[in-house]
Amino acid sequence: MFVKAALKYWYNWISKNDDGQLRFLNFSDNLYQYCLDEIGDIKNKIVLDIGCGRGYGTAFLQKKSPAQIVGFDFAKKGIKDACKLYQGIRFEKRDAEKLHKTPGSYYDFVFSVEMLHCLKSKSAFFKGINWILVKYGVLVIADIITPDNFPRVKKIAEQYGLQLEYTKEITAKILRDLKASSEWRREVVNQQRPSIQNAYAGWAGIPGSVVFKELQSRKLIYVLWVFTKKEGV
């Protein structure tokens, strides 16, 4: 629980102190495309990007012609920056563990990219997802996880009426993308104070960092999950 709270605090701190480089927090610029490759078309659908940060991924999804798209993030500054960068998209400061405070049975698709591992309560998250999805609505998750934790997360999702339709490990793709973008990621890290550079390096997934090594050794894996909301739940 302490680790989850620390991750959430760290993300919020980075967002407040961001100088425009927050996009590097995603391990790959291709993550949203990887998600779309598995679910297909979101044209004319109502879409939520939860944990949207400064809106880079939300803007990518907007290009796929949804009927409506919204970005949620709990970091106030991230939402403020997103509204400035992408003025045609609605962004809201929302907590992913308090989705019951938003309209129910509304979204056709929900994207959660590199956000789930930071949450203190996955139960609260999946309960909220059930609340906001329409019947047969789709939740797409892209995130890191320990291999032994996957069954537990799947069980929690199922307890709240979400059925796992598809899962795909993309660790090799993520490692490839991290290597390809390592130069500019390292430049961002080197601009930070020496006392926090190691933490930034891990968050950015720079080759040689703890997170990168754990992906290589498979202590961590990177997985895409596609869930649907069950009928009558």
Side-chain angles (χ1 to χ4, degrees):
M1 188 71 72
F2 172 78
V3 173
K4 303 299 183 185
L7 284 170
K8 202 168 185 178
Y9 172 84
W10 174 241
Y11 172 76
N12 202 33
W13 185 92
I14 291 178
S15 179
K16 287 180 180 178
N17 292 275
D18 173 48
D19 62 357
Q21 299 286 354
L22 192 59
R23 179 166 60 91
F24 90 91
L25 292 181
N26 281 346
F27 279 4
S28 170
D29 283 351
N30 301 317
L31 283 171
Y32 285 86
Q33 186 59 58
Y34 293 156
C35 291
L36 289 173
D37 288 344
E38 305 307 324
I39 64 170
D41 196 6
I42 59 170
K43 187 176 181 179
N44 297 324
K45 301 297 183 180
I46 300 177
V47 178
L48 172 63
D49 181 22
I50 189 163
C52 65
R54 298 175 75 242
Y56 171 79
T58 321
F60 177 85
L61 295 174
Q62 171 72 2
K63 296 176 182 178
K64 306 303 177 181
S65 303
Q68 181 184 359
I69 188 162
V70 183
F72 286 178
D73 200 279
F74 82 98
K76 184 177 181 179
K77 185 176 184 296
I79 290 296
K80 184 178 179 179
D81 290 345
C83 290
K84 290 180 180 178
L85 288 167
Y86 308 107
Q87 296 183 13
I89 301 175
R90 192 172 101 229
F91 294 97
E92 298 181 11
K93 183 182 181 299
R94 297 277 188 176
D95 192 326
E97 297 175 46
K98 298 179 181 179
L99 295 174
H100 60 281
K101 296 184 178 181
T102 64
S105 299
Y106 188 75
Y107 295 99
D108 298 301
F109 288 90
V110 175
F111 289 78
S112 170
V113 174
E114 293 186 358
M115 188 270 303
L116 186 67
H117 70 274
C118 292
L119 298 181
K120 290 187 287 185
S121 174
K122 291 179 176 56
S123 293
F125 171 72
F126 285 119
K127 183 177 181 180
I129 291 295
N130 180 283
W131 168 252
I132 64 175
L133 278 176
V134 300
K135 184 170 68 174
Y136 304 126
V138 176
L139 167 65
V140 188
I141 297 174
D143 217 330
I144 55 174
I145 192 170
T146 57
D148 60 342
N149 199 32
F150 181 86
R152 186 181 72 86
V153 174
K154 176 177 177 288
K155 183 177 181 180
I156 294 172
E158 290 174 341
Q159 288 173 347
Y160 290 100
L162 300 169
Q163 180 173 320
L164 182 61
E165 302 290 350
Y166 180 79
T167 181
K168 181 178 183 180
E169 186 187 335
I170 59 169
T171 308
K173 285 185 176 181
I174 297 302
L175 287 169
R176 180 198 66 199
D177 291 348
L178 286 172
K179 289 178 182 178
S181 61
S182 62
E183 184 175 343
W184 69 262
R185 289 171 184 267
R186 198 175 299 279
E187 288 178 1
V188 173
V189 171
N190 289 340
Q191 293 170 13
Q192 312 307 317
R193 297 195 307 270
S195 61
I196 62 172
Q197 285 185 7
N198 285 339
Y200 256 82
W203 202 278
I206 288 176
S209 67
V210 172
V211 173
F212 189 90
K213 289 178 180 177
E214 290 191 345
L215 285 167
Q216 282 184 313
S217 67
R218 298 186 59 76
K219 289 182 180 179
L220 289 173
I221 56 175
Y222 206 109
V223 181
L224 293 177
W225 303 326
V226 178
F227 293 91
T228 57
K229 180 177 176 178
K230 296 178 184 177
E231 181 178 9
V233 179

